[in-house]
Amino acid sequence: MRRVLAGIAAALLALTAGCVSRPYGIDGNLTDDWPLPARAASFRPAATGCFDELQPTAPLAGYAPFDCRERHVAEAYFVGDLTGAAAEPEAYRPAKDRAAPAQIAAATECGRRAAPFLGDQWRTGQVRLQPVLPAAAAWAAGARWFRCDAAQVDVGTDRVVSRTGSLRGSLSGAGPLALRCFNPEVRGAQVRGMTAVDCPRRHYAEFAGLWTAPDIAFGKLTGNDAMAAGCRSAIAAFAAVPDDGDLRYRVGWLGFAPTRAEWDLGVRSVQCFLWLENKAMTGSYRGAGPAKLPINYA
């Protein structure tokens, strides 16, 4: 009985297949003529927008830039792509006493891109930069973008300051965040605070320039004789006084090294200030010369 039923079913199937006609344009082949779906676009952050904090990575889940007219901490100003050795999978991992090669490469480019945005070298102002990489999972999936963020800092306490408005042009000309004149609070060998003052008013310290530190261990930088000599040379060039053994009897100096995180990223510039501990200055001391900065052996 089963053989009879099977034979009847086969005959009906053959008869049906011969009688059905297909609609126009249908060839009955389900494996051709179907376009492949579009490739999913990977996340890439915008080169603008502000954020509530400085972060070394930017996961898609927490990505929520907002208008910089609102109070914020960080501002994005550039997005680029890592290439070469900095884009290798292992470049995401930090080394001993060094940030990850990908972070260092991003920080270098962020530093280069900062001057056109801010109006001058970022270390000549009250600014901090933060290179931002993809989250670890996105890096593993092939993301190689980096974003550059900037934030305002208090030069005396080295704390990040929240603000409203963009940092664009903030170091240009009379920009409000350019390092100029200050009244420092010094206790022993430590600077506890720096209050910005208009240079025509009485003040005790003035930014003289940057000194590039050698590539030494971070712990050996503070109190290093080379740092004192480097800042004194920057002050001598700024104030137009001889850079000799008597310079220490003309002026004092204050130096602000990069943070440990910045040092690990390759930042080596030290901010140097001309400092007169017991004598107030009025006006800038740029080009002051020996007459305004006499030797005082006492």
Side-chain angles (χ1 to χ4, degrees), residues 266-282:
V267 179
R268 295 293 181 267
S269 52
V270 175
Q271 297 164 330
C272 300
F273 290 78
L274 183 159
W275 176 43
L276 298 182
E277 182 177 5
N278 300 311
K279 178 184 176 183
M281 298 178 276
T282 53

Side-chain angles (χ1 to χ4, degrees), residues 9 18 43 57 67 76 112 116 124 151 168 188 194 201 226-227 231 233 262 278:
F43 166 66
T57 60
D67 195 308
R112 191 176 74 84
T124 65
R168 184 179 295 277
M194 294 278 282
R201 295 174 55 195
M227 183 172 171
C231 273
S233 292
E262 290 168 340
N278 300 311

Side-chain angles (χ1 to χ4, degrees), residues 170-215:
S170 58
L171 304 186
S172 178
L177 296 187
L179 295 173
R180 294 189 184 87
C181 298
F182 293 84
N183 280 328
E185 180 187 349
V186 182
R187 298 178 189 174
Q190 298 294 319
V191 178
R192 301 296 183 181
M194 294 278 282
T195 302
V197 179
D198 289 337
C199 290
R201 295 174 55 195
R202 288 166 57 89
H203 57 275
Y204 290 85
E206 182 176 1
F207 178 65
L210 301 173
W211 170 68
T212 302
D215 193 12

Side-chain angles (χ1 to χ4, degrees), residues 137-195:
W139 181 272
R144 292 299 183 268
W145 56 260
F146 67 93
R147 191 181 77 215
C148 302
D149 289 359
Q152 180 179 341
V153 295
D154 182 302
V155 67
T157 63
D158 210 28
R159 295 194 185 100
V160 173
V161 179
S162 66
R163 57 177 284 117
T164 57
S166 175
L167 287 167
R168 184 179 295 277
S170 58
L171 304 186
S172 178
L177 296 187
L179 295 173
R180 294 189 184 87
C181 298
F182 293 84
N183 280 328
E185 180 187 349
V186 182
R187 298 178 189 174
Q190 298 294 319
V191 178
R192 301 296 183 181
M194 294 278 282
T195 302

